[in-house]
Amino acid sequence: MYPEYMVAPIREDLTSAGFEQLMTPEEVEQVLSAKEGTVLVAVNSVCGCAASKARPALKMAVAAADQKPDKLITVFAGMEADAVAKAREFMLPYPPSSPSIALFKNGELVHMIERYHIEGNELNRIVDNLKGAFEAYC
C-alpha cells in the first residue's frame, strides 16, 4: 500500500471528473451486481501509463461522448485490495490488470481495456475505443 497523501491527488484526478471511489468489496458488489444500466469501472493505479493515458482517456471520453455510462466508478490498485479483488471477480475471465477499464451493461461485462491496450497505445486511440464502447452499449 502507498501512503494516502501520495494517492489522494491520483484519486481526485478521477473523482473530480465524476467517478465515485469505491473503498469496500460491499460497495463494489452493490454497484456491479445491479442488473440495469451501464457502469464504467476504472481500476486506477500509481503507474505512469495510468497517469499519462488511462486517466486522461477516461476523462476525455466521458467529457466528449454523447452517450455515456449511467455510473462511473473507480477502485485503486495497491490500496483497497479487497475492493479491487471484488471488482476483478466481475471482470473475469480477464486477468488482473492495472490500470484497466471495464464497461458493464445490465450486470454483464461488455467491454474491457487491459493494461497492455493502454500502455502501448496512443491516447486518442484509447479515447476513441471508449467512445465507441459508449455508443455501442450506453
Side-chain angles (χ1 to χ4, degrees), residues 16-32:
S16 66
F19 284 78
E20 179 185 356
Q21 176 72 54
L22 301 185
M23 306 293 276
T24 68
E26 293 80 17
E27 291 173 331
V28 172
E29 177 80 34
Q30 181 179 5
V31 171
L32 294 183

Side-chain angles (χ1 to χ4, degrees), residues 22-53:
L22 301 185
M23 306 293 276
T24 68
E26 293 80 17
E27 291 173 331
V28 172
E29 177 80 34
Q30 181 179 5
V31 171
L32 294 183
S33 63
K35 298 299 182 198
E36 291 185 19
T38 52
V39 180
L40 183 66
V41 180
V43 178
N44 204 351
S45 173
V46 299
C47 72
C49 65
S52 65
K53 295 182 181 178

Side-chain angles (χ1 to χ4, degrees), residues 33-97:
S33 63
K35 298 299 182 198
E36 291 185 19
T38 52
V39 180
L40 183 66
V41 180
V43 178
N44 204 351
S45 173
V46 299
C47 72
C49 65
S52 65
K53 295 182 181 178
R55 290 191 303 272
L58 284 159
K59 293 185 298 183
M60 291 168 67
V62 168
D66 292 328
Q67 297 170 264
K68 301 174 188 182
D70 299 317
K71 192 159 188 69
L72 308 171
I73 67 166
T74 182
V75 293
F76 205 112
M79 293 300 289
E80 293 77 37
D82 293 339
V84 173
K86 179 54 75 176
R88 287 177 171 159
E89 287 178 19
F90 284 90
M91 295 176 192
L92 291 172
Y94 294 95
S97 175

